[in-house]
Amino acid sequence: MLQDKFGRTIDYLRISVTDRCDLRCIFCMPPEGVPRLDHANILRFEEIIAIVRVAEELGIKKIRLTGGEPLTRTGIVSLVKNLSGISGIDNLAMTTNGVLFHNMGHSLQTAGLHRINFGISSLDEATYNKITRGGNLSKALEGLDTAIKLGFAPIKINVVVQKGINEDLTKFIALAIEKPVHVRFIEYMPIGAETHSALFVPATEIFHSIEATTKLVPIEKSKSNSQAPNAWQIKDGCGSISIIAPISENHCGNCNRLRLTADGQLRPCLFSKEEVDIKPALRPTINAEQIKSLIINAIASKPKSLRETSDFGRRMSQIGG
């Protein structure tokens, strides 16, 4: 079992497999995009697998694959298959924008993917196009429907709420009534070189806008339900909703995660620029003992809370969320 110096158990590793993405979401990157990593600097699959094997031995049980957009990484199904074969990993998940999922969903499920999150910040075609700078909403929804048909559960939809852009959440509520999905309304996080505080909508405002039109039934907190207590079933609906408030509510005391960027940096905290370079343990040859030491060092450097940090270092697309 891995614990940091504040007694938090660390059992969750988020892995960015690529910095590439087929969308350019306004809350994730600037209009011109971000400088791409040189291919040689991106971790190879055998390196990621070696890291996960060591991490599992240390107590990591949950893996989430992110990007950029993970489905743009050639061979991603093979990586899923290899990671799912590591016996101690009991939760292998992925976050995707869904655009490519329709054609890959079945293969990913067969390979051993357990859970799927979709990043879809609007169900209005014009608004979605604006947020993603040209994305195709119908393709994302096709991917969502594929996940439902394949029986993935739970299926979560991440909605980054931005003032004056996608504050009307009624279509997402309707979706959660109609389909077995869990919609997560997430506060905008101003991570990057520039911040856009004018886009921030606090969790209280999000909740009041939903509560005004929707009958909500609180979901009880349990060991198997990490969404509670800010989670609700919709009365007479198939799905549920939650509100994720990383800015206005400090959940750092329960943080159980470590992040690995596509270029091999272990990031102890999303909100801090501090990183531990794991590549020396991988190249020119993979050294399991050195990987173990670097993971332990990264966890030892986790800050107590985001209040202690102010420089994010990278943009969200470069970190992996």
Side-chain angles (χ1 to χ4, degrees):
M1 181 181 294
L2 283 170
Q3 285 195 328
D4 68 7
K5 59 188 175 184
F6 303 104
R8 296 172 296 198
T9 298
I10 312 302
D11 58 6
Y12 177 13
L13 176 63
R14 295 177 66 103
I15 301 172
S16 171
V17 299
T18 180
D19 64 328
R20 271 62 165 174
C21 188
D22 45 353
L23 301 180
R24 293 288 182 273
C25 295
I26 60 178
F27 55 82
C28 197
M29 64 175 69
E32 68 277 10
V34 294
R36 288 187 172 186
L37 293 171
D38 184 88
H39 182 72
N41 290 330
I42 295 177
L43 293 184
R44 298 186 288 268
F45 283 167
E46 60 265 31
E47 294 171 335
I48 293 174
I49 293 165
I51 292 168
V52 173
R53 288 190 186 280
V54 173
E56 184 277 326
E57 292 174 0
L58 288 170
I60 296 294
K61 301 300 181 186
K62 179 178 179 180
I63 300 291
R64 178 170 295 277
L65 302 178
T66 68
E69 169 50 49
L71 296 185
T72 64
R73 176 80 187 256
T74 302
I76 188 66
V77 174
S78 173
L79 177 63
V80 168
K81 184 175 181 178
N82 279 280
L83 294 179
S84 70
I86 299 174
S87 61
I89 301 302
D90 56 22
N91 192 326
L92 179 56
M94 178 182 290
T95 297
T96 173
N97 60 39
V99 173
L100 300 174
F101 192 81
H102 173 67
N103 292 326
M104 302 177 69
H106 181 266
S107 296
L108 289 164
Q109 186 179 60
T110 301
L113 187 68
H114 301 143
R115 295 154 63 98
I116 189 78
N117 284 22
F118 291 92
I120 304 175
S121 284
S122 180
L123 294 176
D124 175 81
E125 182 72 53
T127 304
Y128 179 87
N129 187 274
K130 177 181 178 179
I131 291 173
T132 60
R133 298 190 179 100
N136 187 328
L137 177 60
S138 63
K139 289 291 184 182
L141 294 179
E142 188 177 28
L144 174 63
D145 286 338
T146 296
I148 294 172
K149 290 175 183 176
L150 288 171
F152 279 96
I155 296 171
K156 297 178 182 178
I157 301 174
N158 295 339
V159 183
V160 178
V161 182
Q162 300 155 86
K163 186 174 288 294
I165 297 176
N166 63 340
E167 288 181 275
D168 184 354
L169 308 177
T170 54
K171 288 187 178 181
F172 282 108
I173 299 300
L175 182 69
I177 291 173
E178 178 187 348
K179 298 184 178 183
V181 296
H182 181 86
V183 182
R184 309 197 310 166
F185 299 110
I186 304 172
E187 286 182 336
Y188 169 81
M189 290 178 279
I191 294 178
E194 302 96 16
T195 59
H196 302 280
S197 58
L199 296 178
F200 178 71
V201 182
T204 51
E205 288 187 23
I206 296 172
F207 175 74
H208 291 316
S209 69
I210 297 169
E211 185 187 36
T213 59
T214 310
K215 180 64 175 178
L216 301 175
V217 181
I219 296 175
E220 294 294 327
K221 177 70 173 178
S222 70
K223 289 183 179 181
S224 62
N225 183 11
S226 62
Q227 297 303 326
N230 291 336
W232 301 267
Q233 291 292 143
I234 299 178
K235 186 174 176 59
D236 300 324
C238 294
S240 56
I241 67 166
S242 64
I243 298 174
I244 311 298
I247 303 300
S248 62
E249 297 178 15
N250 190 334
H251 299 290
C252 299
N254 298 317
C255 183
N256 65 340
R257 66 193 61 182
L258 188 67
R259 289 173 170 81
L260 177 64
T261 66
D263 58 345
Q265 301 295 316
L266 285 168
R267 195 172 174 106
C269 175
L270 173 63
F271 295 95
S272 171
K273 70 175 182 178
E274 183 171 356
E275 297 176 339
V276 174
D277 188 0
I278 201 168
K279 288 197 298 298
L282 304 171
R283 302 174 185 182
T285 58
I286 293 173
N287 184 320
E289 283 302 312
Q290 194 174 0
I291 292 172
K292 178 179 179 180
S293 177
L294 289 170
I295 291 174
I296 291 172
N297 289 346
I299 290 173
S301 67
K302 280 182 70 69
K304 185 175 183 179
S305 76
L306 63 87
R307 310 304 179 197
E308 298 178 358
T309 68
S310 59
D311 186 350
F312 307 128
R314 305 200 199 198
R315 291 186 176 274
M316 187 70 82
S317 62
Q318 297 168 310
I319 299 170

